[in-house]
Amino acid sequence: MTDAELVALALAARNHSYSPYSHFPVGAALECADGTVYTGCNVENAAYGSSICAERTALVKAVSEGKRTFTRLAVAGSSDDYCWPCGACRQMLLEFAPHLTVLCTRQNGDFVSLSLDGDLLPHGFGPHSLE
């Protein structure tokens, strides 16, 4: 699957977003090492702390199906700026895929490719930190 195809899946996943409070639909597409892709969207809640981001939705779906190794993630928001994973998502992703490639996408489909551990969360606290 190409980067552009993964981005297209993230853009499509935004259609399932439940975002009545922020009005900012986000979609994500997480590629596993075996090529399987799990999508997710943000799901908000009136108790804001109970909300979940698209990236973590995709990750939790994949992990709950037994997947543990991931290669790429595309995340697509609904603005002209790139959609960057929040700190909580970066931390959750670091647990499973420190070398993950993250495709941060604009609503028009343009994207940039960054590494999780080198660009988005350098010096992150992960399982290796507990050794």
Side-chain angles (χ1 to χ4, degrees), residues 17-127:
S17 170
Y18 177 73
S19 48
Y21 306 106
S22 71
H23 306 287
F24 191 78
V26 178
L30 179 64
E31 182 183 55
C32 303
D34 68 2
T36 306
V37 175
Y38 289 85
T39 60
C41 63
N42 55 327
V43 180
E44 296 179 351
N45 190 277
Y48 295 147
S50 298
S51 298
I52 187 168
C53 298
E55 303 93 303
R56 285 183 283 149
T57 298
L59 178 64
V60 169
K61 285 170 62 176
V63 170
S64 72
E65 296 297 322
K67 304 298 181 181
R68 297 291 189 274
T69 54
F70 308 102
T71 56
R72 289 182 299 167
L73 170 76
V75 57
S78 300
S79 73
D80 293 332
D81 194 7
Y82 296 105
C83 190
W84 311 105
C86 74
C89 288
R90 294 175 196 201
Q91 183 63 45
M92 286 275 299
L93 292 163
L94 184 72
E95 182 78 14
F96 295 94
H99 306 298
L100 186 71
T101 297
V102 182
L103 308 173
C104 300
T105 308
R106 294 177 172 168
Q107 68 179 348
N108 68 3
D110 291 341
F111 63 90
V112 294
S113 178
L114 302 164
S115 66
L116 179 62
D117 59 353
D119 298 314
L120 295 172
L121 191 60
H123 312 291
F125 186 88

